[in-house]
């Protein structure tokens, strides 16, 4: 005869530790969803800020503008030159706007899925 019960006083690690376990999992899922949403919003915000700075003809030599452009280039590496327009402003809007929308849709979709779990 085998006994799989733990020794008295020891907690098993593969079983819930009480009635608060589902609540703890739900709270963790919500925190994770909030983190995913925040990261997606920041990424989309930086891309949108670069579009705005470009359209307003911001000083490209400014340190802040260089930082925003560099970050936007890193975030939009996969969508560079998808659209090749003659109008430079429209090209920037489309090439940086597409990843901004994608980050929002994917990030908030993942967060919604985590909140349902």
């Amino acid at each position: 005869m085998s006994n799989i019960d733990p020794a008295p006083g020891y907690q098993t690690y593969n079983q819930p530790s009480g009635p608060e376990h589902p609540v703890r999992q739900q709270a963790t899922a919500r925190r994770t969803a909030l983190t995913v949403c925040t990261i997606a919003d920041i990424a989309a915000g930086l891309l949108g800020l670069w579009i705005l700075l470009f359209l307003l003809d911001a000083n490209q030599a400014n340190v802040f503008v260089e930082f925003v452009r560099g970050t936007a280039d890193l975030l939009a590496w996969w969508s560079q030159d998808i659209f090749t327009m003659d109008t430079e402003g429209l090209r920037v809007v489309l090439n940086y706007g597409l990843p901004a929308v994608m980050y929002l849709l994917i990030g908030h979709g993942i967060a919604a899925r985590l909140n349902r779990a």
Side-chain angles (χ1 to χ4, degrees), residues 45-114:
L46 283 168
L47 289 166
L49 181 59
W50 168 242
I51 293 169
L52 183 67
L53 289 172
F54 184 84
L55 292 177
L56 294 176
D57 201 26
N59 180 7
Q60 301 284 325
N62 183 285
V63 176
F64 176 71
V65 176
E66 286 179 3
F67 168 76
V68 172
R69 180 180 185 170
T71 306
D73 285 340
L74 286 173
L75 291 170
W77 64 268
W78 58 270
S79 70
Q80 293 298 319
D81 298 327
I82 287 179
F83 302 100
T84 54
M85 309 290 189
D86 291 334
T87 308
E88 190 71 15
L90 182 60
R91 185 189 62 79
V92 169
V93 168
L94 293 174
N95 284 327
Y96 289 93
L98 175 67
V101 170
M102 294 302 294
Y103 286 134
L104 286 175
L105 290 174
I106 292 170
H108 285 263
I110 291 170
R113 180 79 174 160
L114 286 171

